[in-house]
Amino acid sequence: MAITLNIANTKEAVLNCFMANPPLVPLIQGPPGVGKSDMIKQVAKELNLKVIDVRLAQCEPNDLLGYPSIIDGRTTYVPMDVFPLQTDEPPAGYDGWILFLDEIRNANINVQMAAYRIILDHEVGNYPLSDKCLVVAAGNREADGCFVPPMTSALKSRMIHLETNLDYQEWINWAMGANIDSRITAYLQFKPEALQTAYVDSKESSYGCGRTWEFVNRLIQGRENDELLKPGVRATIEGAISSGVAIDFFSFIKYYDSVATYKEVLKDPTKARKPARDDIGLIWATIGMLSGNFKQTDIKPVLTYLECLPEEYQMVFMKEISVRFPKIVTLPEMRPWIGQIAKVLWSQK
């Protein structure tokens, strides 16, 4: 059984394939919505390469082998202009290309066979690809409920197989740095299993995954909690992550009605409403409220208010805001809090 990697480790493995001489072709397999395509774009950006995205599930064999043409009285096969050939110069501002053969597992058997020469011989029909073109493939697995046809042994042996999956902590760390709505990150830390929900044999049309939670982020940004319960808005959120997950998310959102407002915290952090130390849902909602509104200039009142939370949740909050404000721990106001947390951790040893 292949080692299942997170996105960061998959990226490292892809780069390792590209460093081989000559470069090898990695096949990244995993469920939909885990970030396979985005990771390839990150690699391309780091290597200053232009991504050519070819969806093999939408291709015919001739798209990969070339189309018949007569040149100098002889029949030959001319490749499509999407493929960079040996005679082509990289686009302005780039050092080369990444040819991304996506949806390879959903391609029919004839298209898979047409891909043999691209993957192993670095050729499109009878034309060699540019030496400055790297090739990577990606697709879903049969276990992902994507109805993929079997892959031929000949194609399997032409690639380096990598299994990737959504890593909860990796996604949460990314979400904090990407300004994903704090109500989403608070909810998913309260209920981690909602990040990736069941999609195989499910009666729901949608499900929770990294991609669909990012859709929810777009839907709720700038909206107050009561707006999210309007039928039209609610329907779009259910359409992204399924009605079952959405109902639970809405129930969590209602916690926010019992949470102190950020204005209350800034006005008087000692008298602002505080969650009971055993009400975990309300604590997570409080963390979401604080992290979603926090500005570095507010550190004094926020630290005072933070004392109402158990120490482990104080640390969660600090971890969240330190992603957006990396130098926060160097502020003089932070020293008493750091000292207090150090004492608590030491006493627990």
Side-chain angles (χ1 to χ4, degrees), residues 160-234:
I160 304 298
H161 296 253
L162 304 173
E163 295 275 340
T164 191
N165 212 333
L166 190 64
D167 181 87
Y168 166 77
Q169 194 57 57
E170 182 183 43
W171 192 89
I172 288 292
N173 291 342
W174 166 82
M176 292 173 184
N179 289 321
I180 297 296
D181 193 286
S182 59
R183 290 168 291 186
I184 293 175
T185 55
Y187 169 69
L188 291 176
Q189 290 180 91
F190 172 59
K191 185 161 283 191
E193 63 271 21
L195 176 59
Q196 182 82 59
T197 58
Y199 42 84
V200 181
D201 298 327
S202 172
K203 294 181 180 179
E204 296 272 14
S205 299
S206 54
Y207 56 91
C209 67
R211 178 190 298 156
T212 55
W213 277 110
E214 199 274 327
F215 291 167
V216 174
N217 180 62
R218 295 191 226 171
L219 292 167
I220 72 174
Q221 277 189 339
R223 295 180 181 271
E224 298 296 331
N225 294 332
D226 56 349
E227 286 187 81
L228 305 187
L229 300 178
K230 292 180 178 179
V233 179
R234 181 174 181 136

Side-chain angles (χ1 to χ4, degrees), residues 28-48:
I28 308 162
Q29 297 186 87
V34 299
K36 299 186 292 293
S37 299
D38 286 341
M39 184 269 294
I40 293 301
K41 292 175 184 176
Q42 291 174 25
V43 171
K45 185 175 181 179
E46 289 183 14
L47 300 179
N48 195 36

Side-chain angles (χ1 to χ4, degrees), residues 22-192:
L24 296 166
V25 177
L27 168 60
I28 308 162
Q29 297 186 87
V34 299
K36 299 186 292 293
S37 299
D38 286 341
M39 184 269 294
I40 293 301
K41 292 175 184 176
Q42 291 174 25
V43 171
K45 185 175 181 179
E46 289 183 14
L47 300 179
N48 195 36
L49 304 175
K50 181 178 177 61
V51 176
I52 301 172
D53 192 332
V54 178
R55 306 296 173 102
L56 294 187
Q58 302 169 24
C59 289
E60 298 292 336
N62 283 101
D63 296 335
L64 307 183
L65 298 172
Y67 286 84
S69 181
I70 297 176
I71 300 177
D72 297 330
R74 301 185 67 176
T75 301
T76 186
Y77 285 84
V78 178
M80 296 179 65
D81 62 2
V82 69
F83 298 106
L85 304 181
Q86 194 75 294
T87 54
D88 295 333
E89 289 295 324
Y94 293 96
D95 295 326
W97 303 264
I98 285 184
L99 178 57
F100 182 26
L101 303 177
D102 202 3
E103 301 175 356
I104 191 169
R105 293 300 310 272
N106 297 93
N108 68 48
I109 192 69
N110 292 325
V111 173
Q112 289 188 18
M113 293 173 68
Y116 288 178
R117 293 192 69 177
I118 294 177
I119 291 172
L120 185 63
D121 301 320
H122 214 63
E123 295 177 351
V124 181
N126 295 323
Y127 292 80
L129 288 172
S130 171
D131 291 337
K132 298 177 181 178
C133 178
L134 300 169
V135 181
V136 61
N140 305 124
R141 306 161 300 187
E142 188 174 352
D144 300 320
C146 295
F147 309 105
V148 297
M151 183 184 293
T152 67
S153 298
L155 184 57
K156 287 180 180 179
S157 66
R158 283 166 161 78
M159 295 179 287
I160 304 298
H161 296 253
L162 304 173
E163 295 275 340
T164 191
N165 212 333
L166 190 64
D167 181 87
Y168 166 77
Q169 194 57 57
E170 182 183 43
W171 192 89
I172 288 292
N173 291 342
W174 166 82
M176 292 173 184
N179 289 321
I180 297 296
D181 193 286
S182 59
R183 290 168 291 186
I184 293 175
T185 55
Y187 169 69
L188 291 176
Q189 290 180 91
F190 172 59
K191 185 161 283 191

